[in-house]
Every structure is written in structure tokens, then in C-alpha cells.
Amino acid sequence: MKRLKPIIAISLLSLSILSCNNGNSNMPTKLSEKSFLGKWKWIETSGGKSYQEFFPPPAIYVVFKNNNICAFYRNDTIVSERNFLLTREKLYTADTQNIISFIDIRSDSAADYRNLPGMGQKYYGIGNDTLLIGDLGYDMFIYFYTKEN
């Protein structure tokens, strides 16, 4: 299973990049957040300069709401609430990528930031019940989530 997760992450990222158009526009294109809506359970974070893996303590999840707000929970208590924006942009590559931007923090309460994606722009890949959010910087942490019903 340990070897399978990086393969899944690379596959989702590849699908995300391959589904990009190579138009000449460098302007961001706003996307619908419909596929993001709902509750996503955090299952793992991996990456870093020396490759580390963090597995979740019980009951950590994020809820994406239709008003472009997402709330990160631990044990059913909000630890961070943020505005987000989904776009397609050309960042660090010639191809257009799916980007999620965490714009500002609406509330924060002593969050363990290893469990949360940082602020700013991240790439993402999304499937039927899988979401990954990855750093664009050289640390390259990837946050894996599964959709809850």
C-alpha cells in the first residue's frame, strides 16, 4: 500500500496535466467548485525534502462549501476556515494546471499545520472519491483525501 500511494498521486497529477489545454492565454480561468463540495477525510500527507509520511489521527477532515469556503475539522471542531478559489493557470510549466488557492484564513485555532495544506496556490487532482492537493514549491508535500458520503 505504501508504494501504491505515490503511484496514485502521480497518476492523478498526470491526468490533471494531460487534461489541460495548451491555449495561448496566461490568464487564470475560474472553475466550478461543484466536484469539490462535500466532506473529504484526510488519509495521508507525504513529501518533503527528505520524504516524510504523516498519517492522520482520527477524525480529521475538510468540508468544501458552495460559497467558496472550506473548513478543516479535528474531532468535529473547526480548526481552520479559509476562502478558496479554483482556477486553471500556467504556473512553472508551459501547460495549464488545475490550481486551488487558499486566499485568506477566516479563522484558525492552534492547528497542526502538518495536517493542513498551507496558504497560497496548490495544484490539485480530483477523481470520483479521491482528492489530492500538492505544494508547488520544492517541498512538494501532497495531501490525500477520500470523499465521505
Side-chain angles (χ1 to χ4, degrees):
M1 186 68 174
K2 193 173 188 180
R3 290 184 187 185
L4 186 59
K5 288 179 183 171
I7 292 169
I8 292 170
I10 290 168
S11 298
L12 283 172
L13 179 59
S14 297
L15 284 173
S16 174
I17 290 172
L18 289 175
S19 68
C20 303
N21 77 31
N22 287 328
N24 293 327
S25 174
N26 287 327
M27 296 301 293
T29 304
K30 186 171 187 256
L31 297 176
S32 167
E33 72 277 353
K34 193 176 203 178
S35 58
F36 265 77
L37 297 181
K39 181 178 177 180
W40 296 86
K41 182 180 176 187
W42 176 61
I43 55 172
E44 180 186 354
T45 298
S46 60
K49 293 180 255 183
S50 60
Y51 190 78
Q52 302 169 353
E53 292 181 328
F54 303 100
F55 295 95
I60 293 182
Y61 59 93
V62 59
V63 175
F64 289 92
K65 304 172 186 177
N66 63 3
N67 55 359
N68 285 70
I69 294 174
C70 62
F72 293 87
Y73 290 82
R74 174 180 279 146
N75 298 322
D76 297 324
T77 301
I78 293 177
V79 294
S80 183
E81 192 173 48
R82 305 171 180 184
N83 290 72
F84 73 95
L85 178 66
L86 303 176
T87 58
R88 292 177 58 78
E89 301 182 41
K90 291 183 180 183
L91 296 173
Y92 307 111
T93 68
D95 295 326
T96 306
Q97 298 175 318
N98 292 329
I99 302 295
I100 183 168
S101 300
F102 294 106
I103 302 165
D104 62 351
I105 296 177
R106 300 170 56 85
S107 66
D108 232 359
S109 63
D112 178 354
Y113 287 100
R114 286 184 313 193
N115 301 334
L116 306 177
M119 296 301 292
Q121 295 177 315
K122 312 287 180 193
Y123 70 84
Y124 72 88
I126 191 165
N128 290 337
D129 64 352
T130 305
L131 169 66
L132 68 91
I133 298 175
D135 289 340
L136 290 168
Y138 70 91
D139 281 351
M140 296 302 294
F141 279 100
I142 301 172
Y143 303 83
F144 298 86
Y145 298 89
T146 57
K147 186 90 177 218
E148 298 258 313
N149 291 329

